[in-house]
Amino acid sequence: MLKFSTFLRDLGSIRNALIWSVILFVAGIGAGWVSTGPLQDILLNQIGGLQEVSRQLEQSGNVQWNFFIFIFIFFNNAIKSVLVIYAGIFFGILPVIFLVINGMVIGFLVHITTDNGASLFDIVVKGLLPHGIIEIPVIIIACAFGLKFGGLASRSLIELGSAKRQGLGKQWETFLKRTITASCWVIILLFIAAIIESTITFSIVRG
């Protein structure tokens, strides 16, 4: 059940949710890029909070710096990603918010750094691509499972008391097994992404 081939096969069962997740994420990037006013202040606060955590970790000592970065990145991403899968039971609302906000942060961050003279190539290829090639798809996949969870919850509520609901029990059982497989591989892949981000990406950006 926990084989990687099973995980890949399960992605086919949430194909529509994956498409919607990509659309929402890209829409978030676009919204972050053009954001102004109160929305811009919210994004600045979000980024400022991450910068403060980063600053505190850096002060903990150079020898342990990469390890603390790794721990922070991994647990931050893994906990949020697994939670967003199961939080999808609330009609998929939280996965939608998670996708849009993460997309907006990336779009806004890339926009303001390029406005300040930074190279778009350096930001994307050096600062984002090494770990993002794993991290971003995994987050989108986690949110897609959350959206599928929300769709199943909504359908169960709509069909409550009707004859159609008889087959829902089997669908819930199958889907919940898939979420367990997905959660395991989300954690494993984010573990790899966190190693890359705290070593390769960190070295490239600082260098």
Side-chain angles (χ1 to χ4, degrees):
M1 186 177 78
L2 299 180
K3 293 180 180 179
F4 188 65
S5 58
T6 302
F7 172 61
L8 293 178
R9 187 187 66 228
D10 289 346
L11 294 181
S13 69
I14 61 165
R15 183 172 57 254
N16 291 337
L18 277 170
I19 293 171
W20 277 109
S21 292
V22 171
I23 291 171
L24 288 167
F25 187 74
V26 172
I29 292 175
W33 185 276
V34 300
S35 62
T36 57
L39 188 57
Q40 190 177 66
D41 294 336
I42 293 172
L43 292 173
L44 282 170
N45 287 334
Q46 179 80 7
I47 294 170
L50 292 174
Q51 288 176 334
E52 180 60 29
V53 172
S54 176
R55 194 177 300 111
Q56 290 177 1
L57 286 174
E58 190 168 11
Q59 292 173 352
S60 65
N62 292 330
V63 176
Q64 299 174 320
W65 172 217
N66 281 6
F67 175 73
F68 282 119
I69 293 178
F70 163 75
I71 292 295
F72 171 73
I73 292 170
F74 171 63
F75 280 101
N76 181 60
N77 289 336
I79 291 171
K80 286 180 179 179
S81 296
V82 172
L83 282 177
V84 84
I85 293 176
Y86 293 99
I89 196 172
F90 299 109
F91 311 111
I93 295 172
L94 290 178
V96 170
I97 295 172
F98 192 74
L99 281 166
V100 173
I101 288 179
N102 276 277
M104 288 176 68
V105 168
I106 291 176
F108 179 70
L109 189 58
V110 171
H111 191 190
I112 61 171
T113 48
T114 52
D115 278 353
N116 290 330
S119 165
L120 183 61
F121 176 85
D122 288 344
I123 296 168
V124 175
V125 176
K126 294 183 178 180
L128 187 60
L129 192 60
H131 64 278
I133 199 170
I134 297 175
E135 183 180 302
I136 292 175
V138 170
I139 289 173
I140 289 174
I141 288 169
C143 289
F145 272 98
L147 291 178
K148 184 70 174 181
F149 213 141
L152 192 55
S154 299
R155 182 182 169 192
S156 299
L157 187 63
I158 292 169
E159 296 181 2
L160 188 65
S162 69
K164 295 181 180 179
R165 69 183 297 269
Q166 293 178 355
L168 284 174
K170 182 63 177 176
Q171 290 183 41
W172 273 107
E173 181 183 351
T174 301
F175 179 72
L176 288 174
K177 287 180 180 178
R178 288 171 177 166
T179 62
I180 294 172
T181 303
S183 296
C184 289
W185 281 104
V186 161
I187 291 171
I188 291 169
L189 291 171
L190 288 176
F191 182 86
I192 296 170
I195 292 174
I196 295 171
E197 186 171 0
S198 61
T199 54
I200 298 174
T201 304
F202 181 66
S203 297
I204 292 173
V205 171
R206 292 198 70 177

